[in-house]
Amino acid sequence: MSYFQEFWKGIWKENPVLILMLGMCPTLAVSSSAKNALGMGLATTFVLVGSNMVISLVRNAVPGKVRIPCYIVIIAVFVTIVEMLMAAYAPAELNRTLGIFIPLIVVNCIVLGRAEAFASKNGVIRSGLDGLGMGFGFTLALMALGAVREFLAEGTLFELQVVPGWEPFMLMKLAPGAFIVLGFFLAGMNLLKIRQARREGKKYTPPEVDCSRCNICNR
Amino acid sequence: MKEILRLTLSIGLVCLVGGAALAYVNAKTEAPRQAAADRTLADSLKLVLPPETASTAQAPSVDGVDFYDAKDSTGQTIARAAVGTSRLGFGGELKVLVGLTPDNRVLGVMVTEHSETPGLGTKATDRKAQKSLWDVLAGKATDDAFPPNAYLDAFAGRPATGFSLGGDSQGQTVQAISGATISCKAVLDAVNAVCCAAHTIEGR
């Protein structure tokens, strides 16, 4: 696989939210507005690239049986360092908007999932590109969800009013709205994939990244 | 036995290196983090204090609440601000900055530090600008430094004698936001800490 494909697969073919169904917890909680989604996405991308590269570096030194606790420690250390550096050197506005997302990332299963499924088997550059692609894929999916939910709930986009006098539809802003909109997104994504397969004259098969193939349980 | 020792040692080593890295970064960034926090506080003080404020000075703390006196250009104290802390937040500690008039009425409330969940708890803590996309595109929008928040603004203008959430019939009530009950309670708790301290000062 070329470097570009390594990067691109996270955005479309193996999008973490819409195909791999990874990181559902932040996806549902933080997609209530486009701005929140963008903040969470960018902070996750940053941590994902860093932790993927570090884990790829130490992948041969860590014994297989304790690799997962070691990865969690590495990710947590990385996130905490990012948090401290941001509090110290980032502009106040950026820190205020992104800072609250950082502690949530430690437990984001995209980060551990990519560490285990990809970075523990691939070189540093590929792992970094995988992290970047997955991070952008996560950001884009989250932003699309956030924009739809924010628009339906308040008639705004990025906190800017689009339709004056919109009757607030708070269901969309709360947890049920997240499930409903995500459901439509997944249905749409499947529809696209099925159409694409039909056009190519093939039968649609789900991507080979389902739970039974995830090697967290299998190795 | 040898295997267990090897695994334990490797985890221990990872933790040790991680801990050392954290300690190093923590020590290195302590001063810049404090400086950044001070700058943020100075900016926030301007927002909750009256526009006539020329200078602010730290006053003695009462019951763990930090007070700041606001003086106008003649050196007259025209208002006070206080930082209240609550540990009841969903994500732990939460700090509010409350502006107070000399006769202990609330001027304005803003949350300066919190770890609430974005999109849920932040409904009770964040002040969001009300701007229209079309105004921004037309270049007509202006930056509002102190945009409204229905929950935080419910405190403004009322005497700082302690508040409670709507439903509890006693005292002054404010209405909690759905989806952000815990954060609302934390903000309330922090504001009440300020009210208590202000009351203590008055009693002296």
Side-chain angles (χ1 to χ4, degrees):
Chain A
M1 216 191 253
S2 73
Y3 284 138
F4 179 73
Q5 281 173 311
E6 213 69 270
F7 166 75
W8 190 250
K9 71 174 193 297
I11 294 178
W12 185 249
K13 218 176 109 212
E14 293 181 25
N15 185 294
V17 176
L18 300 173
I19 305 286
L20 301 186
M21 305 291 288
L22 277 175
M24 283 296 112
C25 181
T27 302
L28 295 171
V30 184
S31 63
S32 57
S33 74
K35 188 182 160 205
N36 280 345
L38 181 66
M40 183 69 186
L42 290 183
T44 310
T45 306
F46 190 66
V47 171
L48 201 51
V49 173
S51 71
N52 256 10
M53 289 174 87
V54 173
I55 283 166
S56 165
L57 270 178
V58 302
R59 70 184 190 278
N60 294 325
V62 175
K65 277 186 184 160
V66 290
R67 64 187 191 287
I68 292 192
C70 289
Y71 294 166
I72 292 176
V73 171
I74 291 170
I75 293 165
V77 166
F78 199 83
V79 170
T80 315
I81 288 179
V82 170
E83 192 182 7
M84 287 195 281
L85 288 179
M86 273 191 56
Y89 301 113
E93 180 58 32
L94 186 73
N95 189 31
R96 196 164 44 237
T97 42
L98 277 192
I100 40 175
F101 299 106
I102 304 261
L104 298 177
I105 297 172
V106 187
V107 288
N108 187 333
C109 67
I110 293 181
V111 181
L112 185 62
R114 291 325 285 174
E116 168 64 16
F118 195 89
S120 66
K121 295 177 210 142
N122 289 282
V124 178
I125 298 172
R126 279 181 188 277
S127 299
L129 285 173
D130 176 77
L132 197 66
M134 286 289 162
F136 281 153
F138 181 65
T139 311
L140 289 175
L142 226 62
M143 255 174 58
L145 267 171
V148 169
R149 284 180 66 192
E150 187 184 342
F151 180 76
L152 290 177
E154 292 175 331
T156 62
L157 276 180
F158 284 98
E159 298 179 3
L160 298 173
Q161 198 182 54
V162 179
V163 183
W166 185 274
E167 189 67 33
F169 181 24
M170 288 320 282
L171 174 78
M172 282 298 154
K173 194 112 205 178
L174 300 173
F179 282 102
I180 292 168
V181 177
L182 182 68
F184 277 107
F185 267 64
L186 295 178
M189 198 73 183
N190 281 348
L191 191 71
L192 274 180
K193 296 257 163 188
I194 292 170
R195 281 223 176 132
Q196 195 185 353
R198 201 173 288 158
R199 217 178 304 128
E200 290 165 5
K202 281 184 272 181
K203 194 176 177 300
Y204 172 68
T205 43
E208 299 185 342
V209 280
D210 57 280
C211 181
S212 65
R213 286 169 207 271
C214 152
N215 48 346
I216 290 187
C217 323
N218 277 357
R219 188 143 66 175
Chain B
M1 187 64 208
K2 220 174 139 193
E3 174 75 358
I4 290 177
L5 211 63
R6 196 173 69 93
L7 297 180
T8 317
L9 275 179
S10 52
I11 284 205
L13 197 70
V14 168
C15 292
L16 204 69
V17 173
L22 282 184
Y24 177 77
V25 176
N26 186 33
K28 276 276 166 194
T29 57
E30 194 154 23
R33 270 187 291 151
Q34 189 57 47
D38 290 347
R39 270 198 307 276
T40 313
L41 178 69
D43 290 344
S44 311
L45 278 173
K46 279 190 202 129
L47 296 178
V48 295
L49 291 171
E52 304 85 60
T53 307
S55 67
T56 50
Q58 185 155 15
S61 308
V62 179
D63 302 338
V65 174
D66 289 337
F67 277 88
Y68 298 88
D69 286 333
K71 295 185 166 65
D72 64 4
S73 46
T74 59
Q76 188 78 30
T77 301
I78 48 169
R80 278 181 305 168
V83 179
T85 308
S86 168
R87 294 185 190 283
L88 300 182
F90 194 77
E93 204 173 84
L94 175 146
K95 283 188 177 168
V96 298
L97 189 66
V98 183
L100 297 166
T101 61
D103 59 343
N104 273 339
R105 293 183 89 84
V106 177
L107 275 170
V109 175
M110 71 179 287
V111 177
T112 51
E113 257 178 62
H114 71 86
S115 321
E116 304 309 294
T117 313
L120 294 172
T122 49
K123 281 186 287 188
T125 59
D126 285 3
R127 292 179 171 278
K128 263 201 273 181
Q130 312 280 318
K131 280 191 274 188
S132 152
L133 178 66
W134 314 118
D135 282 353
V136 172
L137 291 179
K140 277 193 294 187
T142 47
D143 271 332
D144 184 359
F146 203 61
N149 172 307
Y151 181 68
L152 296 177
D153 289 339
F155 294 100
R158 299 165 81 175
T161 50
F163 296 88
S164 59
L165 280 189
D168 307 348
S169 52
Q170 290 164 345
Q172 307 187 81
T173 59
V174 283
Q175 203 65 45
I177 299 178
S178 70
T181 312
I182 295 178
S183 306
C184 284
K185 280 185 180 157
V187 171
L188 186 86
D189 184 49
V191 172
N192 279 342
V194 169
C195 294
C196 255
H199 190 70
T200 311
I201 294 183
E202 214 172 1
R204 275 184 192 158

